[in-house]
């Protein structure tokens, strides 16, 4: 479907597609991806530092398992989550743990030529523009960056301010359009033209090559995914940006 839609890559997920630690599966998916003329844009792991948090209700994947899987998959970056606690509620101790363990993760990843990217998401330490900037500054590692996607429940002005503030630290972009109810209220991407036009204007201010990945497709229908792919490719072509498009 991705290849037929004329896209270039896929962010494979560690929750379903390529489970953490299943190196054999990762090697198989890597081979099939390349045979389809595509590239793995990132490994979407669900590493939340759970195993370093005594208050976590769940056990997460081990760092080594995530790294082994990403490497076998041929992924240039690993998406991780900055904990399971919002920045306003996080203790200094927990903040320090995430900083320390991210540096450690990034060091091991860099030895394999892999980058670490934080999910830009609520209920994590990267849930605001300011907290994301502070976390990246505290970590201060060249192999750690942040993803970006529109946040729920904040103004467009705040979204644009965040993009400008974090632009030089942003790696890949997650692209979708939804209503006030979030992922339960998914719309066709074309309906978000006004917002995304402004987002892309800012993203295009640098010459950096980034992946822009489609997600949250209306009604989870293939035909709507194809429509979103056509929309995004048209927007980028109109700007002639050096961005690659993936799912």
């Amino acid at each position: 479907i991705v290849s037929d839609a004329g896209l270039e890559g896929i962010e494979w997920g560690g929750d379903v597609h390529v489970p953490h630690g299943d190196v054999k599966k990762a090697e198989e998916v890597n081979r099939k991806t390349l045979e389809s003329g595509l590239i793995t844009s990132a490994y979407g792991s669900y590493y939340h530092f759970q195993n370093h948090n005594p208050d976590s209700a769940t056990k997460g994947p081990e760092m080594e398992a995530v790294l082994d899987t990403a490497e076998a998959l041929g992924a240039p970056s690993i998406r991780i989550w900055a904990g399971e606690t919002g920045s306003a509620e996080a203790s200094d101790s927990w903040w320090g743990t995430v900083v320390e363990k991210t540096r450690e993760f990034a060091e091991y990843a860099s030895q394999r030529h892999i980058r670490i990217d934080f999910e830009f998401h609520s209920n994590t330490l990267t849930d605001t523009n300011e907290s994301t900037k502070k976390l990246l500054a505290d970590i201060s590692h060249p192999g750690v960056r942040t993803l970006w996607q529109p946040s729920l429940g904040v103004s467009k002005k705040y979204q644009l301010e965040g993009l400008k503030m974090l632009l030089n630290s942003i790696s890949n972009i997650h692209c979708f359009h939804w209503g006030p109810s979030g992922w339960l209220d998914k719309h066709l991407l074309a309906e978000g033209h006004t917002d995304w036009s402004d987002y892309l204007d800012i993203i295009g201010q640098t010459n950096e090559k980034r992946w822009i990945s489609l997600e949250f497709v209306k009604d989870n229908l293939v035909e709507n995914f194809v429509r979103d792919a056509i929309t995004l490719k048209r927007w980028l072509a109109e700007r002639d940006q050096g961005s690659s498009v993936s799912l």
Side-chain angles (χ1 to χ4, degrees):
I1 293 169
V2 174
S3 180
D4 289 346
L7 303 183
E8 300 175 34
I10 299 177
E11 177 182 320
W12 293 111
D15 53 344
V16 176
H17 305 127
V18 185
H20 312 105
D22 193 340
V23 172
K24 184 177 180 180
K25 180 70 171 180
E27 291 172 343
E28 176 190 359
V29 171
N30 183 33
R31 176 179 56 81
K32 291 183 175 180
T33 302
L34 295 174
E35 288 175 352
S36 298
L38 301 169
I39 298 172
T40 296
S41 60
Y43 180 45
S45 83
Y46 284 81
Y47 187 88
H48 288 71
F49 299 93
Q50 301 102 314
N51 300 346
H52 302 287
N53 182 3
D55 298 325
S56 178
T58 60
K59 180 174 174 58
E62 296 293 340
M63 181 188 304
E64 194 72 17
V66 175
L67 285 167
D68 289 345
T69 310
E71 185 174 34
L73 189 58
S77 67
I78 300 172
R79 172 168 58 90
I80 69 171
W81 299 62
E84 305 170 285
T85 305
S87 58
E89 293 78 33
S91 66
D92 291 343
S93 174
W94 177 240
W95 186 281
T97 295
V98 172
V99 169
E100 176 189 351
K101 293 303 178 181
T102 301
R103 284 187 191 138
E104 180 182 349
F105 203 162
E107 279 300 305
Y108 286 123
S110 65
Q111 294 171 16
R112 309 190 195 203
H113 307 289
I114 298 174
R115 186 182 69 238
I116 299 299
D117 292 330
F118 280 119
E119 178 83 344
F120 186 65
H121 206 278
S122 58
N123 299 316
T124 73
L125 299 186
T126 54
D127 56 1
T128 71
N129 299 334
E130 295 77 11
S131 67
T132 303
K133 182 178 181 179
K134 176 177 171 16
L135 183 62
L136 292 172
D138 287 355
I139 294 168
S140 188
H141 192 287
V144 180
R145 307 192 75 187
T146 184
L147 303 169
W148 187 86
Q149 63 185 17
S151 300
L152 188 63
V154 298
S155 69
K156 182 177 175 180
K157 179 176 181 289
Y158 184 81
Q159 312 267 26
L160 297 174
E161 288 173 349
L163 260 179
K164 293 174 183 177
M165 177 191 299
L166 299 169
L167 186 58
N168 291 326
S169 300
I170 291 172
S171 53
N172 300 339
I173 309 292
H174 288 169
C175 180
F176 53 84
H177 181 60
W178 57 17
S181 299
W183 68 273
L184 297 174
D185 189 17
K186 298 184 282 276
H187 294 256
L188 290 173
L189 184 60
E191 296 176 27
H193 177 267
T194 300
D195 288 345
W196 276 99
S197 178
D198 291 337
Y199 300 153
L200 291 173
D201 283 347
I202 295 174
I203 294 166
Q205 289 175 8
T206 69
N207 294 322
E208 181 176 350
K209 188 177 177 69
R210 296 180 172 94
W211 288 97
I212 299 182
S213 298
L214 295 168
E215 61 176 345
F216 298 117
V217 175
K218 182 179 179 181
D219 299 325
N220 299 323
L221 295 177
V222 171
E223 53 262 41
N224 288 336
F225 162 66
V226 173
R227 292 171 72 180
D228 285 355
I230 292 170
T231 296
L232 182 56
K233 288 190 295 181
R234 184 179 70 250
W235 289 348
L236 294 179
E238 290 170 352
R239 289 169 171 76
D240 193 28
Q241 288 185 196
S243 301
S244 298
V245 186
S246 70
L247 166 62

